[in-house]
Structures are given as structure tokens and as C-alpha cells.
Amino acid sequence: MSRFNIIHLLFIAVISSCGNTEGSTRQVLSDEIKAINFEDVRATYGYKCSICHGSEGVSVIRSAPNLVSSQLSIDERVEIISNGKTTMPPQKDVLDESMILGLAMYIDSLAIAAN
Ligand code: HEC
């Protein structure tokens, strides 16, 4: 099993363990995560994001933050990836929601790989 798959499973484990007692939020989240194709996410990062943020999440342009040290929550990242910010282009009309969520999560795997 590659490191990437292990990280993927780790996310599912973490998110599954913090659901509410009803189980509905947890179910929705885990369904959303199951819909993510992480191989596609990695490829998409490579051709749409690495040009500014670097293939390992260490940015190659001055104005773009290093993603390896991002302190933002998954939701905050989804918002920035969807709507863009300053010179970062919005992706909501280009990538589907599942891909955007996958990219927000993938950033944590860049941070783990860097440490
Ligand atoms: C044209 C260069 C460029 C591209 C391409 C780009 N970004 Fe960005 N990104 C930026 C800049 C600049 C910021 C800082 C925006 C600000 O805070 O003003 C940023 C900020 C972010 C942040 C917030 C990080 C933090 O912790 O503050 C995330 C997450 C992010 N980008 C993810 C992505 C993803 C995922 C992609 C690919 C879909 C991508 N970016 C493509 C330039 C880019």
C-alpha cells in the first residue's frame, strides 16, 4: 500500500471517529470522501496547482503560500480553491466539488510528506 493510500485511510478513520451520535453527518462526509478519486486529485494538483504552489507544496512564486505549512481547515481551503483569492484563480466552474474537497485534503498529505 502506498503512503498516499495510507493517508487516505487515515482521513477516513479520523473523520469517521468524530461523527455525531445520529450518524447522518458522518455518513454524508464518508460518502463524499468515498467519491474522491485520489489518483485524479494527485494528477490534477500536478497540472493545475503545482505551477504556483510547487509539486511538493513548497511554492515556486513569491505571492503563493507554501501549502506544506497551511494552517487552514479543510472548509477554509475548499472556499479558497472554489472562489480563488487575489491572484489565485477560482476553480468552482472548472473542477467538481469532489475534486475540490480532494485537493483540500491532499494538502495535508503534502505536509505529512514534508515532515
Ligand atoms: C496562479 C498561481 C496559483 C495557482 C495556479 C493556484 N494557486 Fe493557490 N494560491 C495562490 C496565491 C497567490 C494564494 C494566496 C492568496 C491570498 O491569500 O491572497 C493561494 C492560496 C491558496 C491556498 C490557501 C493556503 C493558506 O494556507 O493560506 C490554498 C489551499 C490553495 N491556494 C490551493 C490551491 C490549489 C489546490 C490549487 C490548484 C487547483 C491552486 N491553489 C492553484 C496562487 C495560486
Side-chain angles (χ1 to χ4, degrees):
M1 184 183 271
S2 72
R3 183 169 58 186
F4 191 70
N5 285 333
I6 293 167
I7 291 165
H8 179 187
L9 291 175
L10 186 72
F11 277 124
I12 292 174
V14 168
I15 288 175
S16 310
S17 65
C18 59
N20 62 21
T21 46
E22 307 272 311
S24 55
T25 306
R26 180 171 60 195
Q27 189 57 44
V28 169
L29 267 176
S30 69
D31 285 350
E32 281 181 37
I33 292 166
K34 276 186 213 143
I36 298 170
N37 179 330
F38 279 93
E39 291 306 319
D40 284 354
V41 170
R42 180 157 41 185
T44 302
Y45 181 88
Y47 72 81
K48 287 200 75 78
C49 317
S50 68
I51 191 167
C52 293
H53 292 288
S55 58
E56 319 266 290
V58 177
S59 294
V60 292
I61 66 164
R62 190 195 289 256
S63 60
N66 288 334
L67 296 181
V68 289
S69 49
S70 176
Q71 300 296 313
L72 300 183
S73 68
I74 299 291
D75 284 350
E76 289 167 328
R77 292 175 194 159
V78 164
E79 150 69 22
I80 291 178
I81 299 166
S82 301
N83 298 316
K85 194 173 176 190
T86 59
T87 53
M88 172 155 161
Q91 301 298 324
K92 66 175 182 300
D93 298 330
V94 186
L95 301 174
D96 64 30
E97 282 178 18
S98 157
M99 176 60 75
I100 291 174
L101 177 61
L103 286 164
M105 294 173 68
Y106 179 68
I107 290 167
D108 282 332
S109 76
L110 294 175
I112 291 167
N115 289 301

